[in-house]
Amino acid sequence: MRTMSDEGITTHTPKVGVKESPDSEWPEAWMMSDDIRDQKAENRLEPNMSVGVEGLRKIGLSYWKMDAETYTYPVKSVPWNPNDSMDPKLSQIRDDRGYSYADIITVHPDHLPGYEEKVKSFFEEHIHDAEEIRYILGGSGYFDVRDEHDKWVRILVKKGDLMTLPEGIYHRFTTDEANCIHAMRLFVGQPVWTPFNRPCEEHPSREKFVEQYLTEAKAANNMAF
């Protein structure tokens, strides 16, 4: 934004983006075991070990609580033009972060051919070479991410949640026992959904993540002692 100073000089004021939601609005998250029998179950430890928002921010996650009640979206649209958004908050996030592509999918036995096989494939531990953005329009499911100690954290996402995972983070996704999630996927530029399954420590995106989040976390921990 351009403004005129008292001296008549044109200056540029930085654009203020949509602030992330306060901690109280973030999804519930908890530690989970490496050994699970049913990927769609909650899989909490005994006793339950909650994970706070600080722990999620530390590994690069971002979150916005959205209004998924007022605005309607198709069951499926591949692609879906993000410029068609009628939600001003979604439009602002789109512009702030440069999202130029979107599509809308429904992961449900009636809407996704080969549903069970697809859900199993989503649950393979992997990274992407770009940020992952999901806006949950309906239903619910779980994102699992590795924390700075390489332990699994399960995050319950449901209607109205818009979450981003940083490039290079080890993660996986599954529907829950309701077997339905309606979601918008956003992307900068042309979408590339290629997963790189673990191990891929030498992949540039993984190295970038380790340098940006894990190295800094280790340095902070060392300074604390």
Side-chain angles (χ1 to χ4, degrees):
M1 178 185 297
R2 293 186 177 184
T3 58
M4 188 72 71
S5 69
D6 294 339
E7 292 77 19
I9 300 172
T10 300
T11 59
H12 293 269
T13 303
K15 186 177 182 180
V16 178
V18 178
K19 291 184 178 180
E20 290 185 39
S21 294
D23 292 5
S24 60
E25 294 184 352
W26 278 59
E28 183 184 7
W30 56 87
M31 303 300 299
M32 64 183 298
S33 171
D34 283 329
D35 183 22
I36 60 173
R37 295 182 179 180
D38 180 0
Q39 70 186 58
K40 298 177 184 178
E42 289 189 341
N43 289 297
R44 298 175 187 265
L45 296 178
E46 293 290 345
N48 183 54
M49 295 179 60
S50 297
V51 176
V53 174
E54 180 182 356
L56 301 180
R57 292 187 191 275
K58 189 181 297 185
I59 52 175
L61 275 65
S62 295
Y63 174 81
W64 294 264
K65 186 66 177 178
M66 307 295 290
D67 180 2
E69 297 290 346
T70 301
Y71 307 96
T72 59
Y73 300 92
V75 171
K76 180 179 180 181
S77 181
V78 182
W80 182 79
N81 189 342
N83 292 326
D84 290 343
S85 170
M86 301 299 291
D87 180 349
K89 185 174 181 180
L90 177 61
S91 297
Q92 187 65 62
I93 293 172
R94 173 202 67 201
D95 294 343
D96 290 344
R97 301 176 73 86
Y99 300 145
S100 55
Y101 173 92
D103 62 25
I104 296 173
I105 60 172
T106 298
V107 182
H108 180 274
D110 292 343
H111 299 290
L112 182 64
Y115 169 80
E116 290 295 346
E117 290 73 21
K118 288 289 181 62
V119 171
K120 287 179 181 178
S121 70
F122 296 158
F123 203 61
E124 290 290 332
E125 184 175 0
H126 62 279
I127 68 169
H128 294 293
D129 58 3
E131 178 184 58
E132 180 159 334
I133 310 101
R134 296 292 183 271
Y135 175 18
I136 310 305
L137 305 172
S140 53
Y142 300 117
F143 270 113
D144 298 339
V145 295
R146 292 282 190 181
D147 68 6
E148 69 268 32
H149 304 296
D150 205 33
K151 301 297 184 182
W152 280 120
V153 176
R154 171 149 284 192
I155 306 166
L156 171 62
V157 290
K158 51 191 176 181
K159 187 173 184 176
D161 293 337
L162 194 161
M163 177 169 281
T164 68
L165 309 182
E167 173 186 346
I169 190 172
Y170 281 128
H171 68 285
R172 61 192 182 191
F173 172 79
T174 184
T175 50
D176 59 19
E177 292 172 327
N179 287 304
C180 183
I181 192 163
H182 183 204
M184 179 185 297
R185 306 186 296 183
L186 297 120
F187 205 85
V188 177
Q190 290 300 309
V192 180
W193 309 121
T194 305
F196 300 93
N197 291 345
R198 190 171 187 172
C200 50
E201 294 300 323
E202 296 181 356
H203 190 285
S205 292
R206 181 60 188 173
E207 292 178 340
K208 177 181 177 181
F209 175 83
V210 170
E211 177 65 25
Q212 186 169 356
Y213 296 105
L214 302 189
T215 303
E216 290 180 2
K218 289 179 180 178
N221 289 336
N222 290 336
M223 290 177 63
F225 289 97

